PDB file of all heavy atoms in Angstrom:
ATOM      1  N   THR A 413     175.609 105.835  91.432  1.00  0.00           N
ATOM      2  CA  THR A 413     174.258 105.300  91.225  1.00  0.00           C
ATOM      3  C   THR A 413     173.852 104.439  92.411  1.00  0.00           C
ATOM      4  O   THR A 413     174.572 103.509  92.796  1.00  0.00           O
ATOM      5  CB  THR A 413     174.203 104.452  89.942  1.00  0.00           C
ATOM      6  OG1 THR A 413     174.555 105.277  88.828  1.00  0.00           O
ATOM      7  CG2 THR A 413     172.806 103.884  89.736  1.00  0.00           C
ATOM      8  N   ILE A 414     172.705 104.773  92.997  1.00  0.00           N
ATOM      9  CA  ILE A 414     172.148 103.954  94.067  1.00  0.00           C
ATOM     10  C   ILE A 414     171.289 102.863  93.431  1.00  0.00           C
ATOM     11  O   ILE A 414     170.516 103.125  92.496  1.00  0.00           O
ATOM     12  CB  ILE A 414     171.307 104.802  95.036  1.00  0.00           C
ATOM     13  CG1 ILE A 414     172.161 105.917  95.658  1.00  0.00           C
ATOM     14  CG2 ILE A 414     170.709 103.938  96.139  1.00  0.00           C
ATOM     15  CD1 ILE A 414     171.389 106.857  96.554  1.00  0.00           C
ATOM     16  N   ASP A 415     171.424 101.656  93.919  1.00  0.00           N
ATOM     17  CA  ASP A 415     170.626 100.541  93.417  1.00  0.00           C
ATOM     18  C   ASP A 415     169.149 100.951  93.373  1.00  0.00           C
ATOM     19  O   ASP A 415     168.575 101.312  94.406  1.00  0.00           O
ATOM     20  CB  ASP A 415     170.813  99.340  94.348  1.00  0.00           C
ATOM     21  CG  ASP A 415     170.110  98.088  93.862  1.00  0.00           C
ATOM     22  OD1 ASP A 415     169.181  98.203  93.037  1.00  0.00           O
ATOM     23  OD2 ASP A 415     170.471  96.995  94.335  1.00  0.00           O
ATOM     24  N   PRO A 416     168.518 100.922  92.186  1.00  0.00           N
ATOM     25  CA  PRO A 416     167.113 101.343  92.079  1.00  0.00           C
ATOM     26  C   PRO A 416     166.185 100.575  93.011  1.00  0.00           C
ATOM     27  O   PRO A 416     165.215 101.151  93.539  1.00  0.00           O
ATOM     28  CB  PRO A 416     166.778 101.081  90.611  1.00  0.00           C
ATOM     29  CG  PRO A 416     168.095 101.112  89.908  1.00  0.00           C
ATOM     30  CD  PRO A 416     169.085 100.548  90.876  1.00  0.00           C
ATOM     31  N   ARG A 417     166.478  99.288  93.249  1.00  0.00           N
ATOM     32  CA  ARG A 417     165.621  98.517  94.153  1.00  0.00           C
ATOM     33  C   ARG A 417     165.726  99.052  95.589  1.00  0.00           C
ATOM     34  O   ARG A 417     164.725  99.099  96.309  1.00  0.00           O
ATOM     35  CB  ARG A 417     166.019  97.040  94.107  1.00  0.00           C
ATOM     36  CG  ARG A 417     165.701  96.349  92.775  1.00  0.00           C
ATOM     37  CD  ARG A 417     166.333  94.982  92.716  1.00  0.00           C
ATOM     38  NE  ARG A 417     167.800  95.083  92.788  1.00  0.00           N
ATOM     39  CZ  ARG A 417     168.608  94.032  92.783  1.00  0.00           C
ATOM     40  NH1 ARG A 417     168.108  92.804  92.717  1.00  0.00           N
ATOM     41  NH2 ARG A 417     169.918  94.206  92.840  1.00  0.00           N
ATOM     42  N   LEU A 418     166.935  99.468  95.972  1.00  0.00           N
ATOM     43  CA  LEU A 418     167.092 100.046  97.310  1.00  0.00           C
ATOM     44  C   LEU A 418     166.329 101.365  97.422  1.00  0.00           C
ATOM     45  O   LEU A 418     165.634 101.603  98.423  1.00  0.00           O
ATOM     46  CB  LEU A 418     168.582 100.281  97.604  1.00  0.00           C
ATOM     47  CG  LEU A 418     168.889 101.005  98.923  1.00  0.00           C
ATOM     48  CD1 LEU A 418     168.379 100.211 100.120  1.00  0.00           C
ATOM     49  CD2 LEU A 418     170.389 101.280  99.060  1.00  0.00           C
ATOM     50  N   MET A 419     166.423 102.221  96.399  1.00  0.00           N
ATOM     51  CA  MET A 419     165.721 103.503  96.457  1.00  0.00           C
ATOM     52  C   MET A 419     164.207 103.318  96.499  1.00  0.00           C
ATOM     53  O   MET A 419     163.497 104.050  97.192  1.00  0.00           O
ATOM     54  CB  MET A 419     166.120 104.399  95.286  1.00  0.00           C
ATOM     55  CG  MET A 419     167.382 105.197  95.507  1.00  0.00           C
ATOM     56  SD  MET A 419     167.466 106.111  97.090  1.00  0.00           S
ATOM     57  CE  MET A 419     165.987 107.120  97.033  1.00  0.00           C
ATOM     58  N   GLU A 420     163.684 102.345  95.773  1.00  0.00           N
ATOM     59  CA  GLU A 420     162.249 102.075  95.836  1.00  0.00           C
ATOM     60  C   GLU A 420     161.855 101.629  97.242  1.00  0.00           C
ATOM     61  O   GLU A 420     160.814 102.045  97.771  1.00  0.00           O
ATOM     62  CB  GLU A 420     161.857 101.009  94.807  1.00  0.00           C
ATOM     63  CG  GLU A 420     161.890 101.507  93.368  1.00  0.00           C
ATOM     64  CD  GLU A 420     160.964 102.696  93.152  1.00  0.00           C
ATOM     65  OE1 GLU A 420     159.818 102.677  93.646  1.00  0.00           O
ATOM     66  OE2 GLU A 420     161.400 103.677  92.499  1.00  0.00           O
ATOM     67  N   ALA A 421     162.695 100.799  97.858  1.00  0.00           N
ATOM     68  CA  ALA A 421     162.414 100.363  99.227  1.00  0.00           C
ATOM     69  C   ALA A 421     162.492 101.536 100.209  1.00  0.00           C
ATOM     70  O   ALA A 421     161.685 101.647 101.135  1.00  0.00           O
ATOM     71  CB  ALA A 421     163.399  99.266  99.628  1.00  0.00           C
ATOM     72  N   VAL A 422     163.468 102.434  99.990  1.00  0.00           N
ATOM     73  CA  VAL A 422     163.609 103.614 100.859  1.00  0.00           C
ATOM     74  C   VAL A 422     162.390 104.523 100.737  1.00  0.00           C
ATOM     75  O   VAL A 422     161.853 105.012 101.737  1.00  0.00           O
ATOM     76  CB  VAL A 422     164.909 104.378 100.508  1.00  0.00           C
ATOM     77  CG1 VAL A 422     164.914 105.758 101.168  1.00  0.00           C
ATOM     78  CG2 VAL A 422     166.127 103.580 100.954  1.00  0.00           C
ATOM     79  N   LYS A 423     161.917 104.750  99.517  1.00  0.00           N
ATOM     80  CA  LYS A 423     160.758 105.624  99.317  1.00  0.00           C
ATOM     81  C   LYS A 423     159.512 105.028  99.970  1.00  0.00           C
ATOM     82  O   LYS A 423     158.732 105.744 100.607  1.00  0.00           O
ATOM     83  CB  LYS A 423     160.533 105.853  97.819  1.00  0.00           C
ATOM     84  CG  LYS A 423     161.596 106.743  97.183  1.00  0.00           C
ATOM     85  CD  LYS A 423     161.265 107.098  95.750  1.00  0.00           C
ATOM     86  CE  LYS A 423     161.489 105.932  94.814  1.00  0.00           C
ATOM     87  NZ  LYS A 423     161.308 106.317  93.380  1.00  0.00           N
ATOM     88  N   ALA A 424     159.336 103.724  99.824  1.00  0.00           N
ATOM     89  CA  ALA A 424     158.182 103.077 100.451  1.00  0.00           C
ATOM     90  C   ALA A 424     158.287 103.141 101.972  1.00  0.00           C
ATOM     91  O   ALA A 424     157.283 103.372 102.676  1.00  0.00           O
ATOM     92  CB  ALA A 424     158.087 101.623  99.976  1.00  0.00           C
ATOM     93  N   ARG A 425     159.497 102.915 102.481  1.00  0.00           N
ATOM     94  CA  ARG A 425     159.702 102.949 103.945  1.00  0.00           C
ATOM     95  C   ARG A 425     159.460 104.364 104.481  1.00  0.00           C
ATOM     96  O   ARG A 425     158.899 104.527 105.562  1.00  0.00           O
ATOM     97  CB  ARG A 425     161.127 102.500 104.247  1.00  0.00           C
ATOM     98  CG  ARG A 425     161.389 102.157 105.691  1.00  0.00           C
ATOM     99  CD  ARG A 425     160.634 100.933 106.102  1.00  0.00           C
ATOM    100  NE  ARG A 425     161.102 100.414 107.386  1.00  0.00           N
ATOM    101  CZ  ARG A 425     160.316  99.852 108.287  1.00  0.00           C
ATOM    102  NH1 ARG A 425     159.013  99.739 108.065  1.00  0.00           N
ATOM    103  NH2 ARG A 425     160.821  99.380 109.405  1.00  0.00           N
ATOM    104  N   ARG A 426     159.895 105.348 103.733  1.00  0.00           N
ATOM    105  CA  ARG A 426     159.671 106.740 104.150  1.00  0.00           C
ATOM    106  C   ARG A 426     158.187 107.011 104.335  1.00  0.00           C
ATOM    107  O   ARG A 426     157.777 107.591 105.346  1.00  0.00           O
ATOM    108  CB  ARG A 426     160.265 107.689 103.110  1.00  0.00           C
ATOM    109  CG  ARG A 426     159.897 109.155 103.313  1.00  0.00           C
ATOM    110  CD  ARG A 426     160.431 110.017 102.177  1.00  0.00           C
ATOM    111  NE  ARG A 426     160.078 111.417 102.342  1.00  0.00           N
ATOM    112  CZ  ARG A 426     160.465 112.395 101.518  1.00  0.00           C
ATOM    113  NH1 ARG A 426     161.244 112.101 100.475  1.00  0.00           N
ATOM    114  NH2 ARG A 426     160.101 113.639 101.722  1.00  0.00           N
ATOM    115  N   ARG A 427     157.375 106.609 103.377  1.00  0.00           N
ATOM    116  CA  ARG A 427     155.950 106.891 103.468  1.00  0.00           C
ATOM    117  C   ARG A 427     155.274 106.071 104.569  1.00  0.00           C
ATOM    118  O   ARG A 427     154.347 106.536 105.216  1.00  0.00           O
ATOM    119  CB  ARG A 427     155.288 106.648 102.113  1.00  0.00           C
ATOM    120  CG  ARG A 427     155.586 107.795 101.145  1.00  0.00           C
ATOM    121  CD  ARG A 427     155.462 107.412  99.677  1.00  0.00           C
ATOM    122  NE  ARG A 427     155.730 108.556  98.798  1.00  0.00           N
ATOM    123  CZ  ARG A 427     156.934 109.039  98.535  1.00  0.00           C
ATOM    124  NH1 ARG A 427     157.988 108.499  99.104  1.00  0.00           N
ATOM    125  NH2 ARG A 427     157.102 110.081  97.747  1.00  0.00           N
ATOM    126  N   ALA A 428     155.759 104.847 104.791  1.00  0.00           N
ATOM    127  CA  ALA A 428     155.152 104.000 105.817  1.00  0.00           C
ATOM    128  C   ALA A 428     155.498 104.472 107.231  1.00  0.00           C
ATOM    129  O   ALA A 428     154.649 104.454 108.135  1.00  0.00           O
ATOM    130  CB  ALA A 428     155.598 102.550 105.620  1.00  0.00           C
ATOM    131  N   VAL A 429     156.741 104.890 107.438  1.00  0.00           N
ATOM    132  CA  VAL A 429     157.201 105.239 108.790  1.00  0.00           C
ATOM    133  C   VAL A 429     156.979 106.709 109.106  1.00  0.00           C
ATOM    134  O   VAL A 429     156.608 107.073 110.232  1.00  0.00           O
ATOM    135  CB  VAL A 429     158.694 104.882 108.959  1.00  0.00           C
ATOM    136  CG1 VAL A 429     159.229 105.375 110.307  1.00  0.00           C
ATOM    137  CG2 VAL A 429     158.901 103.386 108.820  1.00  0.00           C
ATOM    138  N   ILE A 430     157.178 107.592 108.115  1.00  0.00           N
ATOM    139  CA  ILE A 430     157.163 109.036 108.355  1.00  0.00           C
ATOM    140  C   ILE A 430     155.955 109.710 107.727  1.00  0.00           C
ATOM    141  O   ILE A 430     155.376 110.632 108.298  1.00  0.00           O
ATOM    142  CB  ILE A 430     158.475 109.666 107.812  1.00  0.00           C
ATOM    143  CG1 ILE A 430     159.689 109.039 108.513  1.00  0.00           C
ATOM    144  CG2 ILE A 430     158.463 111.179 108.005  1.00  0.00           C
ATOM    145  CD1 ILE A 430     161.018 109.456 107.919  1.00  0.00           C
ATOM    146  N   GLY A 431     155.547 109.266 106.546  1.00  0.00           N
ATOM    147  CA  GLY A 431     154.463 109.935 105.840  1.00  0.00           C
ATOM    148  C   GLY A 431     155.004 110.995 104.911  1.00  0.00           C
ATOM    149  O   GLY A 431     156.171 110.999 104.517  1.00  0.00           O
TER     150      GLY A 431
END
Side-chain angles (χ1 to χ4, degrees):
T413 300
I414 301 176
D415 184 340
R417 291 170 298 179
L418 175 61
M419 276 311 304
E420 288 302 316
V422 167
K423 289 187 285 186
R425 194 67 167 145
R426 170 185 179 177
R427 284 157 179 76
V429 174
I430 301 172

